[in-house]
Amino acid sequence: MIAREQLEKHQIWLYAAVLMIAAGFGLLWPESSKSFDQMISIVLAILMYGMFAQIPFFRLKAALTNRKFIYALLITNYIAVPVLVWGLTRFLSADPAILLGVLLVLLTPCIDYVIVFTHLGRGNEKLVLVSTPILFVTQMLLLPVYLWLFMGKTAAEIVSVGPFFEAFLGLIVAPLLLALLTQWWARRQPKGEHLLDAAAWLPVPFMALTLFVVVASQIAKLYTSFESIVQVVPVYAAYMVITPIVARIVSRLFRLDTGAARALIFSAATRNSLVVLPFALALPEPLNGVVSAVIVTQTVVELIGELVYIRLVPKVLLRGTD
């Protein structure tokens, strides 16, 4: 039987394989997309619970001990990155669906598998781990603000509050509360600790399952959204190229050590596509097809970029003694 550590160590290659299999499945059997559409919410909810259960929400005090890193993290993700995203989106068409998809995914820093990428890129993954509660709370608070700043009334016109609120409650709030309850129970009773240990197995297989279900259900829609995808791929590629440079500058300003600086680069580059996907799926037709296709495209571009990052960051951009 495979150990959880082994599963987590090789998860990137698992996701890459799943993406290719899902794409082939969705193209060969496009009629199955409706069945997968119905599974997305359930699979996502379980994945969210598994991920939230691993976030140390009761260790906020530990996160605040390295204030230099926290300040650098917040400035990079919520000042430098939004400025960069604003500049990159000036090259997009006026289609609000495309713009909304790009904003949703690029303005939300990752809180889950960024920890794995940081570890593989020889960064200080512990700093990222203890910072995840802060990143999660801040992005949920600031995302509506940024959508209003970047899109104005257009965002309110295409985003229906009702479905968005339902998606937020069902796929974010409910799994989050259940995860908090699990962590609280684990601090008090052995049974709760056993449940928390069991929940630690959920993220990797359910991340793979989520990627399969999402890609298999959405891949056929990519043909109808091909013009949108052609526009966003250069934006995503440029984002992956520029963000390490931006994060490197911020890390120098705050005089971060090598491990922390590498962690900052991975946090800036890795986005929260699966967490914002429920918001895209909550949009009315045909907007949800375009927005979800734009978000899924970012996942694919990011995965390729991260495979480059884990070699380039420690060997070229931020060399160390390790």
Side-chain angles (χ1 to χ4, degrees):
M1 184 177 178
I2 188 170
R4 180 162 60 87
E5 291 75 15
Q6 291 177 303
L7 187 64
E8 292 175 347
K9 182 179 179 180
H10 300 290
Q11 62 182 292
I12 297 175
W13 304 108
L14 172 63
Y15 300 153
V18 167
L19 283 172
M20 290 187 287
I21 295 170
F25 191 94
L27 291 172
L28 290 173
W29 294 284
E31 66 279 357
S32 63
S33 63
K34 292 184 178 179
S35 300
F36 285 130
D37 277 342
Q38 298 172 356
M39 294 173 57
I40 290 177
S41 294
I42 298 173
V43 174
L44 266 175
I46 298 173
L47 172 64
M48 291 297 103
Y49 165 71
M51 292 194 306
F52 290 153
Q54 306 314 304
I55 296 175
F57 287 106
F58 292 101
R59 288 168 58 187
L60 276 174
K61 187 176 180 180
L64 296 173
T65 55
N66 192 330
R67 294 191 177 184
K68 283 200 306 182
F69 178 75
I70 294 299
Y71 294 152
L73 188 72
L74 295 177
I75 288 173
T76 301
N77 279 300
Y78 299 123
I79 296 179
V81 165
V83 170
L84 172 61
V85 171
W86 182 87
L88 291 175
T89 53
R90 298 311 95 190
F91 298 98
L92 292 175
S93 69
D95 187 340
I98 297 175
L99 180 59
L100 178 61
V102 172
L103 294 178
L104 279 174
V105 72
L106 290 188
L107 292 174
T108 49
C110 183
I111 57 171
D112 39 77
Y113 51 81
V114 63
I115 300 166
V116 178
F117 290 137
T118 303
H119 173 70
L120 294 175
R122 300 179 187 177
N124 190 335
E125 75 277 8
K126 292 180 181 178
L127 283 177
V128 179
L129 175 64
V130 297
S131 302
T132 47
I134 296 173
L135 281 181
F136 175 71
V137 173
T138 48
Q139 68 184 260
M140 289 296 108
L141 293 174
L142 292 175
L143 181 59
V145 176
Y146 283 124
L147 289 180
W148 178 78
L149 286 174
F150 285 20
M151 298 186 69
K153 293 181 179 179
T154 307
E157 291 172 357
I158 64 176
V159 175
S160 177
V161 176
F164 253 54
F165 188 67
E166 290 178 9
F168 181 71
L169 285 179
L171 298 176
I172 302 295
V173 175
L176 175 61
L177 291 177
L178 187 59
L180 287 171
L181 182 61
T182 303
Q183 290 184 12
W184 177 83
W185 191 22
R187 291 161 66 94
R188 285 160 176 78
Q189 291 189 17
K191 289 184 178 179
E193 191 172 348
H194 294 329
L195 178 59
L196 190 61
D197 289 339
W201 281 88
L202 294 176
V204 175
F206 272 88
M207 179 77 77
L209 182 58
T210 300
L211 287 172
F212 180 86
V213 171
V214 169
V215 173
S217 65
Q218 303 298 318
I219 191 71
K221 299 177 183 178
L222 297 185
Y223 287 109
T224 58
S225 305
F226 184 74
E227 292 183 3
S228 304
I229 293 171
V230 169
Q231 291 186 55
V232 300
V233 168
V235 171
Y236 293 149
Y239 182 88
M240 295 297 292
V241 171
I242 298 172
T243 46
I245 301 171
V246 173
R248 182 74 180 94
I249 293 171
V250 176
S251 69
R252 282 184 174 179
L253 291 174
F254 283 89
R255 299 179 181 178
L256 300 181
D257 60 52
T258 302
R262 290 172 180 169
L264 187 65
I265 289 174
F266 279 97
S267 178
T270 316
R271 302 289 90 186
N272 224 357
S273 57
L274 292 180
V275 172
V276 297
L277 185 61
F279 300 150
L281 297 173
L283 292 168
E285 291 282 0
L287 285 174
N288 62 0
V290 176
V291 177
S292 59
V294 168
I295 291 174
V296 171
T297 301
Q298 189 276 338
T299 303
V300 177
V301 173
E302 180 179 274
L303 183 59
I304 296 170
E306 295 287 356
L307 295 177
V308 177
Y309 271 34
I310 59 179
R311 290 165 175 79
L312 195 65
V313 171
K315 293 182 179 180
V316 178
L317 192 58
L318 274 169
R319 293 182 180 180
T321 56
D322 51 355

